[in-house]
Amino acid sequence: SDLQKQEERGELLQPLTFILLVLCSVLLYFKVSLMDPGFVKSEEEAGNSEEQSMVIPQIPSNIKMRRCGYCMVKQPMRAKHCQLCQHCVRRYDHHCPWIENCVGEKNHPLFIAYLSVQLVVLLWGGHVAWSGLYFEQSWDWLQHHIFLLMSFLLLVIFTIVVLLLLISHLYLISCNTTTWEFMSHHRISYLRHSELENPFDQGVILNLWRFFC
């Protein structure tokens, strides 16, 4: 059959790979959106103070853990209360409306993986849409290709958004800072009173290693 001949020529490998990437993207989306991003629990309070002093020796000793005014747990360093999730999140980055969940200590690496796979899918889909377009200056051509043209333009917009988001996150990760810390540096006590601009930065290689590994 034609399908067997296509398989023998290797013509089915590309569409199957694309479908697998799409499925991987969907699974990562649900995983990141449904998992615990690193909610602070009351039983974690006991070891937080000692842990912070060991991990971040550059932080001034007069900066103490504070109790959250909303959920009443003691916030570890770099944690923040999310009004939408109604929880304090460890190493809080931001609340993402795309996944309707916080991005924090536990799901941040998977969020980066999701963005990366999503970018590959969008670039591949954009390439396929572009290859099907041949431009003519006529109303008939526009009528027959309007759906493909709109799809291509949407793919371009989404690709730009995902690419910029991925680049910005990789930059912040390489500096060992979060979106919240980057945007609110002047309002965060442990950053405002620190002698270093970024007391968590330990060099690009070590920052990336500790984040992903």
Side-chain angles (χ1 to χ4, degrees):
S1 66
D2 291 340
L3 194 61
Q4 288 177 328
K5 291 178 181 178
Q6 287 179 330
E7 184 180 1
E8 290 172 0
R9 293 195 298 265
E11 293 177 1
L12 295 180
L13 184 60
Q14 285 193 357
L16 285 175
T17 304
F18 181 76
I19 291 171
L20 287 174
L21 281 172
V22 172
L23 288 175
C24 181
S25 174
V26 172
L27 289 174
L28 281 171
Y29 172 83
F30 283 110
K31 177 66 175 176
V32 174
S33 61
L34 296 176
M35 73 180 294
D36 176 1
F39 295 135
V40 180
K41 300 176 177 62
S42 57
E43 60 267 22
E44 296 176 357
E45 293 180 6
N48 280 337
S49 183
E50 181 182 351
E51 175 189 332
Q52 288 176 190
S53 62
M54 290 170 58
V55 175
I56 315 158
Q58 304 96 324
I59 298 296
S61 58
N62 61 335
I63 303 297
K64 303 297 182 184
M65 287 175 58
R66 69 184 186 90
R67 191 171 290 276
C68 176
Y70 297 96
C71 53
M72 301 309 294
V73 298
K74 283 188 177 179
Q75 287 184 335
M77 189 105 26
R78 313 189 79 178
K80 182 183 181 296
H81 184 86
C82 176
Q83 297 279 16
L84 296 172
C85 292
Q86 293 298 308
H87 284 285
C88 286
V89 180
R90 297 174 68 94
R91 202 181 180 281
Y92 175 86
D93 189 87
H94 71 289
H95 184 93
C96 181
W98 198 341
I99 62 172
E100 196 54 44
N101 193 12
C102 280
V103 176
E105 184 179 73
K106 289 186 178 179
N107 66 347
H108 201 168
L110 276 178
F111 181 72
I112 298 299
Y114 165 68
L115 289 179
S116 301
V117 174
Q118 190 70 39
L119 181 61
V120 173
V121 170
L122 287 168
L123 288 171
W124 197 333
H127 172 72
V128 171
W130 177 257
S131 64
L133 288 172
Y134 58 93
F135 293 97
E136 294 179 5
Q137 293 184 349
S138 67
W139 178 248
D140 288 338
W141 178 90
L142 185 62
Q143 281 184 316
H144 285 90
H145 294 83
I146 184 67
F147 179 75
L148 186 58
L149 186 60
M150 292 298 295
S151 299
F152 175 73
L153 292 176
L154 282 174
L155 284 170
V156 169
I157 293 171
F158 286 132
T159 300
I160 292 172
V161 171
V162 173
L163 179 62
L164 292 176
L165 191 59
L166 181 60
I167 290 173
S168 65
H169 272 276
L170 289 175
Y171 168 74
L172 293 175
I173 291 166
S174 69
C175 300
N176 197 2
T177 190
T178 64
T179 303
W180 172 57
E181 289 171 342
F182 182 77
M183 300 294 290
S184 307
H185 188 280
H186 61 287
R187 295 193 290 112
I188 302 172
S189 59
Y190 59 81
L191 294 179
R192 190 173 65 246
H193 298 297
S194 174
E195 296 178 0
L196 302 175
E197 184 176 353
N198 180 10
F200 307 107
D201 188 6
Q202 296 179 310
V204 175
I205 295 176
L206 190 56
N207 291 339
L208 292 173
W209 174 264
R210 290 195 167 181
F211 181 84
F212 288 108
C213 305

